[in-house]
């Protein structure tokens, strides 16, 4: 279904269509997924943003598993002969998957928020 803005989302033009995800190998897709998972967990652990220790503790525990998945994704790429990471393509994929917003949670909040 197409909306009046030429997009195909169901929100009838309220939200723009997200950028298309670039073509990735299965291993590259796994790398992006695992990286974003680690990024999300780091955002939940960020001591400048968390509300309580329990949520941070749970995220830190999950980070161990997630970082192992990230390592394994890179190992698979290496074993398959994928020696080069195409940073432009990866950046487009991360932007398409809301990576910029997710990365902001890892950073310190503006000083006015303290």
């Amino acid at each position: 279904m197409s909306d009046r803005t030429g997009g195909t989302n169901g929100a009838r033009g309220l939200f723009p269509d997200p950028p298309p995800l670039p073509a990735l190998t299965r291993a590259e897709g796994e790398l992006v997924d695992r990286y974003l998972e680690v990024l999300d967990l780091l955002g939940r652990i960020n001591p400048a943003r968390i509300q309580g220790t329990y949520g941070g503790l749970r995220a830190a525990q999950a980070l161990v598993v997630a970082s192992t998945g990230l390592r394994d994704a890179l190992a698979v790429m290496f074993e398959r002969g994928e020696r080069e990471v195409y940073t432009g393509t990866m950046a487009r994929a991360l932007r398409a998957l809301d990576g910029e917003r997710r990365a902001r949670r890892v950073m310190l909040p503006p000083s006015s928020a303290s």
Side-chain angles (χ1 to χ4, degrees):
M1 163 187 277
S2 181
D3 62 27
R4 285 186 238 166
T5 63
T8 56
N9 63 38
R12 299 181 188 205
L14 296 177
F15 303 102
D17 287 336
L21 193 60
L24 302 172
T25 66
R26 181 172 288 142
E28 287 173 330
E30 187 69 17
L31 172 61
V32 167
D33 288 344
R34 297 296 67 84
Y35 174 76
L36 289 172
E37 181 181 10
V38 166
L39 194 61
D40 288 339
L41 290 167
L42 285 171
R44 289 177 45 202
I45 297 167
N46 184 344
R49 295 186 181 272
I50 63 173
Q51 299 296 313
T53 57
Y54 185 72
L57 173 62
R58 294 296 306 254
Q61 291 168 335
L63 182 60
V64 175
V65 175
S67 62
T68 300
L70 180 58
R71 180 207 58 206
D72 292 348
L74 286 162
V76 166
M77 287 179 69
F78 186 80
E79 290 166 3
R80 290 183 181 170
E82 296 180 45
R83 301 287 197 267
E84 189 173 340
V85 176
Y86 299 96
T87 56
T89 302
M90 292 301 208
R92 285 195 340 261
L94 290 168
R95 282 188 184 95
L97 296 170
D98 205 19
E100 289 174 315
R101 179 192 58 81
R102 295 159 93 169
R104 281 194 296 271
R105 295 201 55 202
V106 176
M107 300 178 347
L108 289 173
S111 59
S112 62
S114 56

